[in-house]
Structures are given as structure tokens and as C-alpha cells.
Amino acid sequence: MLITMFKTKPTSRFIYLSLTLLLLLALFTSILASDPITTENGDEEDSEEVVSKAQRIVLELNGDNTKRVIDKNEFVMVLGYAPWCPRSAELMPQFAEAANLLKELESPLLMTKLDADRYPKAASLLEIKGFPTLLLFINGTSQSYTGGFSAEDIVIWTKKKIGVPVIRINSVTEAEEVVKKYHTFVIGFFENFEGHDYEEFLKAAAADNELQFFEVSNIEVANVLFPQIKATNKFVGIVKSEPERYTAYEETTFEAEKLLQFLSYNKFPLVTKLTEINSASVYSSPIKLQVIAFAEDDEFDKIRQPLQDVARKFKSKILFIYIDITDENLAKPFLTMYGLEESKNTILIAFDSTFSSKFLLDSDLSPSNIDDFCSGLLHGTLAPYFKSQPIPDNGNATILSVVGKTFDDLVLNGPKNVLLEVFTPWCSNCETTTKQVEKLAKHFKGSDLIFARFDASANEHPKLQVDDYPTLLFYRAGDKSNPIKLSTKSSLKDLAGSINKNLKARDKVTKDEL
């Protein structure tokens, strides 16, 4: 689904992260430069030329003509944008190229754009509330765009919505053109275009928003699209421009829901490179297990083949993704979750979004280690990863610094009472609590009580689940599994009183004035 990022004119740019770890997913939306449009001879068009082309092909709406254009045309696609919106600027070349392709196909769809910032009344009439927004109007009734971000995605989605969910291929020549033109497509072979199975195929084609469906009845033509189709009266398969090129639907039952599920699990390459254009589709994948490789492009080439080999073994069970580690907008949000945001080396991580668990391959990236890591992920035998800062040297510190790696030893397994302050650097109220804890630490010095601090932005532990900062937890000796939460809004004197009540009788400290 296209995200309408900005509702008002911003004073700064924001990076949105939506992980379907709850991942990933859906999605964060980042600001990236558009991929260049490639012409038939392989040359890349200048982005300004593409935008200029959009000006010539795409009809510009305004305050005077918007309602008239919508009312007088059966099919109208509207791009609501704002000149200052970087996401709008990124989408414009893809929208322009889609307009070119639709024009070549003699589509009845009218492609238009509206400067919603300049013409707010027209934007309000179309119910455009953010930028960019894509809307399809059929006989004056609008529906939101739910396809991908590339020009090809826009063309496929719109063609389906205006009544062409499946294209029939009748000759070998036509089939050869399809193979040249489409990166990914679905083929349905039916001896007769009728019956329950065919109707379910049509339903799946209409319901899918991303893939172009083709239908054939001649086995010779079908084999151009999908070689080695066995003699049968029905067949469905997906074709991709990547090493795992052909995948057949092997169920004997043809139901639209099952066909769509088959496509959802098989439409991605063995290893998908995450980009802004495909991010929405990747994040919405039904595959709950994801393995993500972070590396510079040159370094990724070293593990590409072994990773593809492993991906082939776990096909449709684990989604394999590659992210350029130098791309801060895409890579950094993930790496921050692991405390690895400064890393420049190749990293392999994994998610199980069903249980919101994350994992890290901390050994070398040999084919056998990658295979074992993925097998452990699939069978649930991997130890979850919790990020941690390096073990600090507390020396003679009055307040101990606790990190993820030392939480067990210093907090849970130690024989003494522990008062733990959980904070984050960005917490506006944490400074006040920190000052109170420092005074309390001096006041209770010499008692059977350890004062400690835990930076929750850089450390994690499975037995420390805190959502509010700052948080004060009192771990009583002998009962560390049930920490007592102290109010951070209490006065210093009240906090001292609460601590005294929780200390063992022999360890009580006289409540002096603080």
C-alpha cells in the first residue's frame, strides 16, 4: 500500500520504521533517490528528462478542471503530490514511466496529477489527505492504490482494476515477447477456458495486486513461458528472472485462496534485495521467518551463491533478504535493534515474527554455518539474541553499570539486594531520577544494597521487560524473580522510606534527612 507520509508541510524530514518483527514489514518509509528509468537501448534517462516527460504525458489537474476531468472520464488515476515532498519527487518518475507504458498499450486510463499543496480545495474534493497519494477513479468512484511503487507495478495494478486481470496469449511470438518484457509473471494453462478451476484462477488474478497473469490453451505456447509443462488439462506456475526461475503450483485442488497463498510464498527471488520500491511488498510477506544479510555490494557477492543455495533449500519457509549496509535509511533501523549500528562488516541476522524473536549468526559466514543457522531458525533451536554493550569496568563505582551480558551476574544471581534504574538517553525525565538515585546511593552506602543502572536503548535481557522510562526496580535478595517497582514520581524521602521497608530487618538504615 502506498503510504501517505506527510499531512502538513514539514520543517524537517523523518524516517519511518515499520518492522514486522512485529516486523518488519509493515514498514518504515525512508527517503531514497528514485531508480533511474532505463530506455530500450540500455541508456539511463536523466531524471529531469523523465519528469519533463511526465509533464507532457500526465494531465495536470487544478482548481478548475479537477471535477470535470473525473466526471467526464471512465477511468482516471490521480497522483496527489506536493512539490516540497521528497517522497512525491521519488514517485513522480515511476508514475511518468507508467503513463508511458499505458499509453503504448492504448489503455483507456487517463493519468493525472494534482499539486495538492497549491490546490487544497481540489485535494479536499478528492479526499487527498497526505502526500503522495494515488487514487483510481472508475466512473467517479475512487479507490485507494494498493500496489507496488515501480512503474511496472502501477501498470499491472491499474490494468487489473479496469478489467484486464488476465491476458490471453495465443502464439509463440506473443509468448516470447512476454518473456522479454516481464520480470515476474504467472502462467495458467487450461485446455478450455471454462470450469471451476479456471474460474478460481480468474478470481486469484483479480485479487492479486502485484503480478501479471497470462492464460494459454496451446501446450507449445505454454512451454515458451514455462518449459517442460507436462501433458495436462490444467497448470499454474510462476516465472521469475532469477536463478530459481520456474516454480509450479503442485496442489491438485484449484482454489483462489490456495493459488494466492502459493504466489505469496514464491513470488520473491531466492534472495531479495530490499529497496524503497519493494519494501511494502517484502514487509507484507506471510513468511514469518526472515534471514537478512547486511553487507556492502562487493562483500555480498562473496556470500551470494552460498546464501542462494541455502535459500533454495528453505524455499517458501524462510524469506531471505539482502540490505546494503551502507544505506543508512534501510539498514540502520535494523542494526540499531541489535546494537550493531556502527558495524561495517557483513552481518547475518534472523527474525521469527510469530514470537517477535531475533537471532544473530556470530560465527564466520561459511556455507555450513549459514545452513546450520537457518536450520536452527526453522526448527526453533536457535538461542534468541539480546543486544548488549561491552562489559564495563565498574571499578569502585558507587552505582554499577549493568549491560545485557552482566544482568544475570550482577542483578539476578548476586546475593545482595539491588536497586536498578532503567533509563534511556533520550528520556526527558530520566535525569531527575538519576540525580535522586545518586543521592540514595550515597545515603545507603555500606548497606546490603547495590545500586545499578541499565541503559535500555543499548541493552536487552529476556527477564527485563520495561516499556516506561525511567523505571526503578527493587530486587530483594532471595526473591529476584519478583522485582518491586518503585514510583519515580515520589520524593527523595519517600523513596528512601520505600527502600528501607524492602530491606531485610538487619540491613535497615536509619532514615536520616536527605
Side-chain angles (χ1 to χ4, degrees):
M1 180 179 293
L2 184 65
I3 305 298
T4 53
M5 287 181 57
F6 300 112
K7 293 189 177 182
T8 58
K9 191 168 184 176
T11 56
S12 61
R13 291 163 61 176
F14 296 89
I15 299 172
Y16 287 83
L17 167 67
S18 178
L19 300 172
T20 51
L21 239 188
L22 297 177
L23 230 196
L24 272 148
L25 86 158
L27 206 35
F28 59 85
T29 302
S30 52
I31 307 302
L32 295 176
S34 297
D35 290 340
I37 304 301
T38 304
T39 60
E40 291 183 1
N41 61 12
D43 296 329
E44 291 180 357
E45 294 186 23
D46 183 86
S47 60
E48 293 183 1
E49 172 61 25
V50 175
V51 174
S52 176
K53 186 182 294 184
Q55 296 288 347
R56 299 192 298 269
I57 295 176
V58 180
L59 176 65
E60 183 79 54
L61 301 179
N62 55 47
D64 297 325
N65 69 357
T66 296
K67 187 176 187 303
R68 182 172 66 255
V69 169
I70 298 296
D71 290 344
K72 290 189 175 182
N73 291 277
E74 184 178 8
F75 305 113
V76 182
M77 174 69 83
V78 179
L79 167 60
Y81 71 97
W84 47 260
C85 169
R87 190 67 182 87
S88 295
E90 181 183 316
L91 182 60
M92 187 69 74
Q94 301 296 333
F95 191 74
E97 184 65 11
N100 288 335
L101 295 172
L102 288 166
K103 184 177 181 180
E104 292 173 2
L105 294 170
E106 299 181 349
S107 169
L109 178 65
L110 179 63
M111 299 288 278
T112 70
K113 60 180 179 178
L114 173 67
D115 184 341
D117 193 43
R118 183 179 180 183
Y119 302 107
K121 289 186 179 179
S124 178
L125 175 68
L126 302 184
E127 297 187 354
I128 294 174
K129 301 176 182 179
F131 316 119
T133 293
L134 278 174
L135 295 172
L136 174 64
F137 287 84
I138 299 179
N139 293 320
T141 300
S142 71
Q143 56 181 292
S144 297
Y145 179 77
T146 56
F149 297 122
S150 72
E152 184 176 317
D153 291 334
I154 295 172
V155 170
I156 290 173
W157 187 91
T158 53
K159 284 172 62 180
K160 287 190 174 188
K161 296 303 179 182
I162 63 177
V164 193
V166 181
I167 297 176
R168 183 169 296 180
I169 304 298
N170 297 307
S171 69
V172 169
T173 301
E174 290 177 335
E176 289 172 343
E177 287 300 312
V178 168
V179 173
K180 292 178 183 178
K181 184 176 181 180
Y182 288 88
H183 299 296
T184 305
F185 61 87
V186 180
I187 171 180
F189 171 75
F190 299 91
E191 286 185 335
N192 301 302
F193 298 123
E194 59 184 23
H196 172 269
D197 293 339
Y198 177 64
E199 292 299 324
E200 292 300 306
F201 176 74
L202 294 181
K203 289 179 184 178
D208 179 84
N209 290 319
E210 298 180 20
L211 302 173
Q212 182 60 63
F213 283 56
F214 295 95
E215 60 182 26
V216 295
S217 60
N218 181 293
I219 192 65
E220 182 182 358
V221 175
N223 278 320
V224 174
L225 300 174
F226 197 114
Q228 299 178 340
I229 295 178
K230 297 178 181 179
T232 179
N233 61 353
K234 63 180 181 180
F235 173 87
V236 171
I238 184 170
V239 181
K240 296 171 287 188
S241 299
E242 62 110 12
E244 194 74 6
R245 184 164 175 77
Y246 304 104
T247 306
Y249 176 73
E250 297 180 348
E251 296 279 348
T252 56
T253 303
F254 274 45
E255 301 291 344
E257 186 175 343
K258 287 187 176 182
L259 288 169
L260 290 170
Q261 185 180 53
F262 160 74
L263 297 176
S264 294
Y265 278 83
N266 291 279
K267 65 184 177 182
F268 293 109
L270 290 175
V271 180
T272 301
K273 182 173 182 178
L274 186 71
T275 67
E276 175 62 21
I277 289 177
N278 69 11
S279 60
S281 178
V282 172
Y283 294 146
S284 63
S285 169
I287 300 176
K288 301 302 181 183
L289 302 177
Q290 301 102 21
V291 169
I292 307 178
F294 297 86
E296 294 186 14
D297 285 338
D298 290 343
E299 291 298 313
F300 181 69
D301 286 340
K302 298 177 182 179
I303 66 167
R304 184 189 303 274
Q305 189 58 53
L307 194 60
Q308 287 181 340
D309 291 341
V310 174
R312 187 176 288 106
K313 178 179 178 180
F314 295 100
K315 185 181 175 183
S316 79
K317 297 176 182 177
I318 299 176
L319 181 63
F320 288 78
I321 302 168
Y322 162 57
I323 301 178
D324 183 351
I325 199 170
T326 64
D327 188 331
E328 287 196 358
N329 290 317
L330 289 176
K332 191 170 183 178
F334 287 92
L335 296 177
T336 298
M337 296 175 62
Y338 285 74
L340 301 171
E341 55 267 39
E342 302 302 323
S343 179
K344 303 298 180 184
N345 299 321
T346 302
I347 297 169
L348 198 69
I349 67 173
F351 290 104
D352 181 345
S353 58
T354 300
F355 301 102
S356 301
S357 301
K358 58 184 188 291
F359 312 88
L360 172 70
L361 177 58
D362 55 5
S363 56
D364 66 274
L365 299 179
S366 66
S368 60
N369 284 342
I370 294 174
D371 189 291
D372 290 344
F373 181 68
C374 295
S375 179
L377 175 66
L378 181 63
H379 296 103
T381 58
L382 291 182
Y385 174 83
F386 298 94
K387 64 182 177 181
S388 174
Q389 292 174 303
I391 297 176
D393 181 8
N394 284 308
N396 296 318
T398 304
I399 302 176
L400 303 183
S401 292
V402 177
V403 298
K405 296 176 181 178
T406 62
F407 189 86
D408 284 332
D409 290 339
L410 296 182
V411 178
L412 298 182
N413 299 334
K416 293 186 177 182
N417 300 288
V418 179
L419 180 69
L420 181 69
E421 174 194 358
V422 185
F423 74 99
T424 64
W426 42 260
C427 164
S428 59
N429 297 321
C430 287
E431 185 176 354
T432 299
T433 299
T434 294
K435 290 180 179 178
Q436 287 183 316
V437 171
E438 289 172 351
K439 292 179 181 180
L440 289 168
K442 292 178 181 178
H443 178 67
F444 284 91
K445 186 176 181 179
S447 69
D448 187 20
L449 177 61
I450 294 175
F451 284 79
R453 304 185 74 217
F454 187 90
D455 182 352
S457 70
N459 299 278
E460 297 171 324
H461 191 276
K463 293 185 179 179
L464 181 64
Q465 304 297 325
V466 174
D467 299 317
D468 187 27
Y469 309 105
T471 290
L472 289 177
L473 297 172
F474 188 94
Y475 291 83
R476 292 181 296 183
D479 188 18
K480 296 293 183 71
S481 60
N482 296 296
I484 299 168
K485 187 174 182 180
L486 304 183
S487 174
T488 56
K489 297 181 180 180
S490 298
S491 67
L492 192 61
K493 190 170 184 177
D494 288 341
L495 279 173
S498 296
I499 292 171
N500 266 322
K501 290 180 181 178
N502 288 294
L503 288 173
K504 293 180 179 180
R506 65 176 182 273
D507 294 322
K508 284 186 179 180
V509 176
T510 304
K511 191 192 304 181
D512 297 325
E513 290 296 327
L514 296 173

